[in-house]
Amino acid sequence: MADAPAGVRPEVRRTLRRVPELVQAGLVPPEAEAALAAVAARYAIAVPPELAALIAPGDPADPIGRQILPDAEELAPAADEWADPIGDAVHAPVKGLVHRYPDRVLLLPTLVCAVYCRFCFRRERVGPGGAEGLTDAELAAALAYVRDRPAIREVVITGGDPLTLTPRRLGGIIAALDALSGVRVIRLHTRVPVAAPERIGPELLAALSCDKALFVALHANHPREFTPAATAAIRRLTGAGIAMLGQSVLLRGVNDDPATLEALMRAFVEVRIKPYYLHHLDPAPGTARFRTSIAHGQSLMRQLRGRVSGLCQPDYVLDIAGGFGKSPIGPGYLSAAGDTITDWRQRRHPLAGDGIERQRPS
Ligand SMILES: *Cc1c(COP(=O)(O)O)cnc(C)c1O
Ligand code: SF4
């Protein structure tokens, strides 16, 4: 960094995982090195080239940097934060599988990701060190659990990021699920198309090919993540006949203003991805700098409803701490008593219980 002129950063050519590398790349200031080394000892770091290139030099508030660069605050958790905020452990009947709802399960074959998001709700578990993926025997046990329960119609492959698996390993898992007659839908949750778009190649596409309805849910939080390379990777997925969904986390200082949230939802839809969920931030340790209030989230959702197409509207959801599952958190348009309804321009209309509006708006 010493020989680079101000405002110019050396190009990042491979994924950065160590604090000295981040300093050298000009992504964090040298004086922060010691404090960030302590963070790195506890939580995994991965800053891939595709995302590193998006971070504005010298801007500590950059919305991409904020998501993926470590911060000393991570080691100072607030009192109300939880190591397992959504209660995975409460509903894990076999290793690598979470069964909370009757008709669907999560399968976590790996805990490795292409990028480690600083706000991750599984941050105490994800990462390369110690947290290996499932062994063949453990995977077989998880698949047997699904096979023996015909009520399970959908398997959501997550982690970690399943698209970091080798095409061979992922292909084996997809083929095994494809062979289970009870499983009708396979879904994968990933950040790879924006974090490491080069991974979406012919071998990975072949691994995803199956007879079941296959959905890929892309996790992206800022419109800038839709780079030309990411957009091309998404086109390769949709071009292969894969249906895609968008999921985002509402993050203070990243996407919690009306213009950014609108641009993010439009960016999804313009590459043929249907926004599915906007997650309210889960209280994982050391994530207070990303927190917003539910009232603020509802206000943003109201503004989104008033400004953009229904295609761009995700469900705003909260995963109830302790393992109780996700619930939509509004905003509601029907009054609590059910006798008025609000329109997209925030005007209220009287309403009878049968849903018929009996008066003109005042
Ligand atoms: C989020 C989640 C799912 C998927 O829920 P959808 O609302 O169908 O997206 C399934 N199982 C568990 C344990 C989950 O946390
Ligand atoms: S990609 Fe997903 S699982 Fe991995 S760190 Fe980010 S939020 Fe967590």
Side-chain angles (χ1 to χ4, degrees), residues 35 74 81 109 116 118 122 145 185-186 188 205 211 243 246 260 263 301 317 352:
E74 293 176 42
E81 294 172 337
Y116 291 103
R118 307 325 295 171
R122 285 202 187 103
Y145 180 94
V185 177
I186 300 170
L188 295 99
L205 293 173
D211 290 330
T260 304
M301 287 296 293
V317 295

Side-chain angles (χ1 to χ4, degrees), residues 112-117 119-122 126 159-161 191 219:
V112 169
C113 302
V115 54
Y116 291 103
C117 311
F119 48 85
C120 176
F121 63 103
R122 285 202 187 103
V126 297
D161 193 321
R191 215 150 157 42
H219 171 187

Side-chain angles (χ1 to χ4, degrees), residues 36-334:
L36 296 183
V39 175
R42 174 84 189 269
Y43 296 112
I45 294 171
V47 177
E50 188 69 17
L51 294 177
L54 295 176
I55 301 172
D59 179 6
D62 181 89
I64 308 298
R66 203 168 152 76
Q67 292 182 64
I68 65 177
L69 297 175
D71 188 297
E73 273 180 35
E74 293 176 42
L75 294 182
D80 51 359
E81 294 172 337
W82 305 41
D84 177 16
I86 75 165
D88 280 342
V90 187
H91 298 281
V94 292
K95 190 177 171 194
L97 192 131
V98 186
H99 192 185
R100 176 177 298 140
Y101 304 110
D103 73 328
R104 57 205 188 278
V105 293
L106 302 185
L107 178 64
L108 292 73
T110 179
L111 291 168
V112 169
C113 302
V115 54
Y116 291 103
C117 311
R118 307 325 295 171
F119 48 85
C120 176
F121 63 103
R122 285 202 187 103
R123 63 190 329 237
E124 300 288 345
R125 294 173 60 203
V126 297
E132 296 303 317
L134 297 184
T135 63
D136 288 347
E138 289 164 345
L139 183 61
L143 292 168
Y145 180 94
V146 176
R147 182 200 60 213
D148 294 343
R149 286 166 183 78
I152 300 172
R153 300 178 66 88
E154 179 174 347
V155 175
V156 181
I157 311 176
T158 175
D161 193 321
L163 295 194
T164 63
L165 292 169
T166 61
R168 185 191 161 89
R169 179 109 173 120
L170 182 61
I173 295 172
I174 303 279
L177 293 173
D178 205 15
L180 299 181
S181 59
V183 174
R184 315 303 297 174
V185 177
I186 300 170
R187 196 201 314 172
L188 295 99
H189 281 249
T190 183
R191 215 150 157 42
V192 162
V194 294
E198 70 285 353
R199 287 191 74 89
I200 313 292
E203 290 176 347
L204 197 77
L205 293 173
L208 293 175
S209 158
C210 67
D211 290 330
K212 301 294 165 68
L214 187 129
F215 289 75
V216 168
L218 170 65
H219 171 187
N221 303 314
H222 193 277
R224 254 164 46 201
E225 292 170 42
F226 293 78
T227 60
T231 300
I234 292 163
R235 289 233 166 84
R236 292 195 286 278
L237 288 162
T238 56
I242 293 169
M244 289 190 73
L245 304 168
Q247 64 162 352
S248 308
V249 184
L250 181 60
L251 299 166
R252 178 150 60 93
V254 174
N255 56 21
D256 71 328
D257 63 279
T260 304
L261 200 62
E262 172 179 338
L264 173 63
M265 297 308 155
R266 289 194 192 280
F268 275 123
V269 170
E270 288 170 12
V271 291
R272 204 144 51 86
I273 296 179
K274 172 71 186 94
Y276 176 54
Y277 281 154
L278 175 66
H279 294 272
H280 189 75
L281 184 71
D282 295 312
T287 58
R289 67 193 181 284
F290 295 112
R291 201 139 297 144
T292 64
S293 67
I294 289 178
H296 182 51
Q298 290 177 328
S299 161
L300 290 167
M301 287 296 293
R302 242 181 246 114
Q303 295 174 71
L304 198 64
R305 175 64 67 182
R307 291 152 70 114
V308 297
S309 157
L311 286 177
C312 298
Q313 309 291 332
D315 268 344
Y316 178 38
V317 295
L318 175 73
D319 220 310
I320 304 170
F324 300 98
K326 297 174 193 63
S327 289
I329 50 174
Y333 289 81
L334 201 57

